[in-house]
Every structure is written in structure tokens, then in C-alpha cells.
Amino acid sequence: MLDMIIELLNEAETDGWEVTDTRTQGWEFYFIRHQLDQNRVRDVEHINVSVYKKFDSFLGKASTEIPVTAGREDAEKLIRQLCAEALLVRNPFYTLNEPSEADTEPQELPDVRAIAKDFLEVMNELPETETEDINSYELFISAKQVRFLNSNGIDVTSCYPSSMAEVVVNARKEEHEIELYRMYDSGSCDKAALKREISETLKYGRDRLDAEKTPNLGKCDVLFSTDASLQIYDYFISRMNTGMKYRQLSNWEIGKPVAEDITGDRLTVTALRRLNNSSANSAYDAEGAPVRDLVLIRNGVAENYWGPRQFSQYLGVEDSFIPGNFAAEGGTRTAEELRTGRYLEIAEFSDFQVEPMTGSIAGEIRLGYYHEGDAVQIVTGGSVSGTMADFVKNMYVSKELKQYNNMLVPAVTRLNDVSITGASE
């Protein structure tokens, strides 16, 4: 099928093309409590095609998936349709990636059986009690083989694992019961980390039953020690993206500090080729460019942009790529040192977002721990707000790091003077 599509693309009147052939072999398990309800094996293939057409000084692009069951006539019709649609797009001209001599490790499909075994062992070792236990869970373990080809001669393949665990936790107290949902993405299985994360969720379920309404705290320091912190670090990563820069949605400049008058920790953020247990360990990006390690921000100073070929070329960044993994270095203080004084540590949000263009943050509190001296109050409700443009100047991060799939970030992040609206208002 793939050979036929390449032949049709070479025969068509295109000014360039790209093909991504993704094969996924996977196992799926569906449990009610710890009783297997059903399981199945997947072996699927998806072929996505992009066609490019020149028009004066513009370049148009159109994309679609060609079903692997399509015959020659249907595939040819879809390609002709893509050529027509591409002429309707008016992007300033840019070129596609060229073949690279970058080295990569040998490509072998991951062992799905071994990864599944690790997940199942973790789920059977959880510290459940009569009042906190697992309601149900689903496991999706996959081995991916992604082959990318383009009209300039690139033909590269990446193999890597991609897994997901969906877990529903129940906690009960007298006549009250609460249900918490979690989704854990990874490549292979980090057994210790997964067990720790689900064990913490069991504890959060218990604490939610004892939570009181969040008081109106006004301005208060907020600690992030769960996956909500990823939104904060994504703010730094996104503002170094060439698409954001070209569209003038980011004003960060290479060689200049990301903020003036920084008194807190100065972040160093790096794009990584590989991160243990990540589901984004592809050797090549979605456009066939080799992925490598690259420092984006060093000690609070912008150093390198990253992004797709199109916008990178517009900015004069020729050696560009789209990374899959990112890491932010730890700060000057330990997590214990950051957990001092008056602060609200939020373990769970109904929703938390950091808007990358303006830096505005907003989130509804589902579970938090308000600390004032030696007193600790479990709280729920209310919201947080503010802007990263202010917080980045005196933000502190822990020396300890924590990994969430494709991102390695400080385990604790402290933002000063966040606005806290109480639940009673």
C-alpha cells in the first residue's frame, strides 16, 4: 500500500509531499476493581499524506489519511483532491526538510508483553484499604513504528513504546463517597513512580472527604507539586516556539532575559532527544528532522527557538526540529525548604491553565492544604489567578525533580503572591 501511494505521489503534479506511516501493536486491558472484564490485541496502520503546491511566492499544503484498505483509484482521487485543496492555501514559501546524516540507535519494536506485566504488577501492589480502593482501571500498552518519507529523499523510521493507564479511585467516609479519575501517560512503565502516584491519589480521595471551604486568602504563596505544574513550564517552552515568535505572540528574544529584575530562581529549560519511560522518544520529529538535545533557556536567558520547519525558516532558523521531551533544572532550595511559612499547596484542580500569550493563570481548587505556621487546613473550592509575567520574577523551584511522561520538572514550584478567591464568595 505504501509503495503504491509513493508511486501515485511521484506521478501527481505536486511541488512536494510527505508521508507518515504509523504502525501500532498494542494490548488493552479493562478491569472492574481487580477483576479482568475484557482485553484485546490491536495491530493497526495509519498512513497520512501531505501535498504541497507552489503558487507565485506562496506554498500551499493539504493533508489527509489514506485508508490502508483503499484501492489505487480511490487513493489517486484523494491525492488529486489534496493537490486542488493545497492551491487554496497561501503561506509564504518555505522548503521541506532534507535528508540528514544524524546518527540514531538501532530501531527495534518494544516488548509489549514485558511492559504490560510491569503495569499489572503495580496495580496488584497498591496499598488499598476498606475506605480507599480502586474502582476500575484500563491499561493501553503499545509499540509504535513510525516511518516518515518526503519528496526530498528522507526515509527514516522510529520505534518506541507508548502506554496509558486510566484509573478510577473511590474513597468513603460514613455516608459520603468520592470518586477521583487519573490518567497516566508514559512510554514503558516506571513501576515505583506509578505506584507512588496512585497511592497519593488514594490519600487525596480520603482528604477530600475532610476538606473545608477555602477561605478568602487574598494574596498568598501557592505551591504546585502535582501535574498542574506542567502548565507553568509549558509557558516557558511555548514562548520559545518559532510559531509563537513569528506570529508576534511571544516577545522573548535570543540573548535576552525572559524577565527583568529576577530575584527568584533563574530557570534552565532544555529540549531532550530521550527521557526514560517517555512516550515521546522518537528519533525524528513529525517532519523528518532528527531530534537532539537543545538548551532553550539558560539561567533565565533565552538561548534557542524550536519549532516546525515552516515558522523556523521564516525566522532564519534552518537547523530546526520539534522536540518531544523537555526538562527544567532544579533550583537553589529543597522541597522541604520551600514548604515553609504561609502557603497554599494545591494537590488537585478542577481545571488549571496558563495562557502562553499573556501568562495569565486561572484554576478552580478541588483539594489544597493551607499552611500557616504549624497549622494545616485541608480545603476545597475557590480559585487562583494572576500572571506569570509577575510570578517569574520571584518564582522558586525545588532541587528535587519529578517526571511526568515526557517532561522532567522541579518536584515543587512556589509562586509568590497569587490571588486566592475563597469558596464562600
Side-chain angles (χ1 to χ4, degrees), residues 331-340 397-400 412:
T332 56
R333 304 179 185 182
T334 65
E336 183 179 359
E337 289 171 329
L338 292 179
R339 289 188 170 105
T340 57
V397 301
S398 66
K399 293 180 179 179
E400 301 91 339
V412 175

Side-chain angles (χ1 to χ4, degrees), residues 330-395:
T332 56
R333 304 179 185 182
T334 65
E336 183 179 359
E337 289 171 329
L338 292 179
R339 289 188 170 105
T340 57
R342 176 177 177 264
Y343 66 92
L344 175 64
E345 181 167 354
I346 303 177
E348 186 174 1
F349 288 91
S350 297
D351 184 39
F352 178 71
Q353 297 181 6
V354 179
E355 210 291 317
M357 290 181 289
T358 63
S360 297
I361 75 167
E364 297 179 358
I365 303 167
R366 291 191 69 187
L367 177 66
Y369 301 87
Y370 175 55
H371 295 252
E372 191 169 15
D374 294 331
V376 182
Q377 180 183 1
I378 304 175
V379 299
T380 185
S383 62
V384 300
S385 61
T387 175
M388 287 300 301
D390 295 330
F391 299 144
V392 68
K393 297 179 181 180
N394 55 1
M395 182 175 82

Side-chain angles (χ1 to χ4, degrees), residues 64-75:
T64 194
E65 178 178 349
I66 297 181
V68 294
T69 56
R72 185 180 184 89
E73 183 178 343
D74 289 335

Side-chain angles (χ1 to χ4, degrees), residues 212-366:
E212 303 173 0
K213 288 185 177 181
T214 304
N216 185 13
L217 302 178
K219 297 284 189 178
C220 181
D221 290 3
V222 172
L223 265 66
F224 297 82
S225 55
T226 62
D227 60 355
S229 66
L230 298 181
Q231 296 291 326
I232 294 172
Y233 294 98
D234 190 59
Y235 166 78
F236 291 91
I237 295 167
S238 296
R239 292 183 68 81
M240 295 304 297
N241 180 278
T242 54
M244 289 277 289
K245 184 62 182 176
Y246 177 76
R247 296 186 178 102
Q248 299 183 358
L249 303 177
S250 170
N251 59 358
W252 290 4
E253 299 284 348
I254 300 300
K256 296 183 179 180
V258 299
E260 300 295 335
D261 303 320
I262 296 178
T263 58
D265 288 327
R266 297 175 179 268
L267 280 186
T268 293
V269 180
T270 304
L272 298 177
R273 156 66 184 90
R274 187 172 185 83
L275 189 60
N276 285 340
N277 294 310
S278 167
S279 64
N281 284 335
S282 176
Y284 298 89
D285 71 8
E287 300 174 326
V291 178
R292 64 186 190 278
D293 293 355
L294 181 69
V295 176
L296 307 180
I297 301 170
R298 192 188 302 272
N299 295 325
V301 177
E303 188 163 305
N304 286 290
Y305 296 123
W306 67 274
R309 174 76 168 177
Q310 176 186 0
F311 296 110
S312 298
Q313 205 168 80
Y314 293 164
L315 294 181
V317 181
E318 286 295 331
D319 194 16
S320 63
F321 65 101
I322 306 169
N325 303 305
F326 298 93
E329 290 186 3
T332 56
R333 304 179 185 182
T334 65
E336 183 179 359
E337 289 171 329
L338 292 179
R339 289 188 170 105
T340 57
R342 176 177 177 264
Y343 66 92
L344 175 64
E345 181 167 354
I346 303 177
E348 186 174 1
F349 288 91
S350 297
D351 184 39
F352 178 71
Q353 297 181 6
V354 179
E355 210 291 317
M357 290 181 289
T358 63
S360 297
I361 75 167
E364 297 179 358
I365 303 167
R366 291 191 69 187

Side-chain angles (χ1 to χ4, degrees), residues 2 5-6 9 17-21 47-49 147-149:
L2 182 61
I5 291 175
I6 301 301
L9 286 168
W17 51 260
E18 296 173 334
V19 176
T20 303
D21 181 7
I47 300 178
N48 290 280
V49 175
R147 184 180 177 187
F148 177 90
L149 308 94

